[in-house]
Amino acid sequence: MSAEKKLSCIDCAVANCNMMDREFPGFCLTTETVTEDDIAYVRGKYSEEENKRSMVAAACVEYEGYCQLTRVQEIMDYARRIGAKKLGIATCVGLIGESRMLAKIFRKHGFEVYGVGCKVGCIPKHEVGIPMECEELGRNICNPIMQAKLLNDAHTDLNVVVGLCVGHDSLFYKYSDALVTTAVTKDRVLGHNPVAALYTAEGYYRKKLFSEEKND
């Protein structure tokens, strides 16, 4: 291990911060890094109306639906608890069928739905500085900033991401005025189930994930 490497939560196998039934490791962020000022800062943020409403709703969804509700059901339960009546869907056009089904379910349960596909605006990739060769996969950009703008203009109460590409989702989260949750995370190789790569990282996918040229 590099001498410069600073240990953090990702290196911990104790997770005493969750169960509180054992000792904290010596590098624990809770005991060694977090200050009273940090605690005061986040407590203040959680006391803000929107943040408090979201945190209480999320906790109640987890408690009441634990291992019972699907992700789709959890999104609807959360939406109701925060008073969201109009749901935006920011979808990859490659998952438009899945998004139509999601909208059908949301509407069946009384929500208004407004969806925007990722190719909206039809802007050629090279016009925003993307290399021309990338147009071999399609002429037009995925347009997450436009998706966010149109959902902002539609005054959605909660936005739901369905399969936006890595990085495109980041920009959508950045520019969305409404809170955002994710229904589907894109992984074309693993059927949009990216955690499967982690389950197989030391088995079938070891060479794919740990080969020298892929490691920093």
Side-chain angles (χ1 to χ4, degrees):
M1 181 170 58
S2 170
E4 291 79 25
K5 181 177 180 180
K6 183 175 177 61
L7 298 180
S8 63
C9 293
I10 212 69
D11 304 295
C12 178
V14 178
N16 188 44
C17 53
N18 185 37
M19 301 304 297
M20 300 293 287
D21 61 354
R22 61 196 75 181
E23 292 185 4
F24 292 99
F27 61 85
C28 180
L29 300 190
T30 294
T31 58
E32 303 301 317
T33 303
V34 173
T35 67
E36 290 299 321
D37 286 344
D38 293 333
I39 295 292
Y41 170 78
V42 297
R43 283 187 187 276
K45 289 298 180 182
Y46 288 134
S47 69
E48 294 176 10
E49 183 179 354
E50 182 182 51
N51 296 340
K52 182 176 181 179
R53 184 167 62 247
S54 180
M55 288 295 289
V56 171
C60 291
V61 169
E62 179 189 23
Y63 173 71
E64 296 180 19
Y66 198 75
C67 292
Q68 300 295 319
L69 299 182
T70 66
R71 178 77 178 194
V72 172
Q73 291 172 299
E74 287 184 332
I75 290 171
M76 292 190 293
D77 192 7
Y78 172 76
R80 292 189 195 96
R81 291 174 187 271
I82 65 170
K85 294 178 171 58
K86 186 172 186 178
L87 305 184
I89 297 178
T91 183
C92 168
V93 295
L95 281 84
I96 197 71
E98 290 84 346
S99 290
R100 280 200 297 267
M101 178 57 69
L102 184 62
K104 182 178 180 179
I105 293 168
F106 286 165
R107 287 167 175 155
K108 177 68 174 178
H109 288 269
F111 294 100
E112 182 181 354
V113 182
Y114 191 83
V116 182
C118 63
K119 298 297 183 179
V120 65
C122 297
I123 300 172
K125 291 176 180 176
H126 68 270
E127 290 187 4
V128 298
I130 296 172
M132 282 293 298
E133 58 264 29
C134 293
E135 294 193 7
E136 293 179 12
L137 292 178
R139 174 178 179 270
N140 295 325
I141 65 168
C142 294
N143 201 348
I145 297 177
M146 183 67 80
Q147 287 177 287
K149 181 184 186 303
L150 293 178
L151 291 177
N152 293 343
D153 292 345
H155 303 293
T156 52
D157 301 315
L158 174 68
N159 290 330
V160 182
V161 166
V162 178
L164 298 187
C165 298
V166 170
H168 299 152
D169 55 359
S170 302
L171 286 172
F172 180 79
Y173 300 141
K174 180 178 180 179
Y175 285 95
S176 172
D177 287 344
L179 290 173
V180 183
T181 190
T182 301
V184 179
T185 301
K186 177 176 283 174
D187 189 321
R188 297 179 183 90
V189 173
L190 296 173
H192 310 306
N193 180 31
V195 75
L198 308 182
Y199 295 147
T200 59
E202 295 184 335
Y204 295 118
Y205 268 37
R206 184 175 182 82
K207 289 184 178 179
K208 182 184 286 288
L209 297 173
F210 287 103
S211 61
E212 288 296 325
E213 62 270 21
K214 298 297 183 182
N215 274 347
D216 294 327

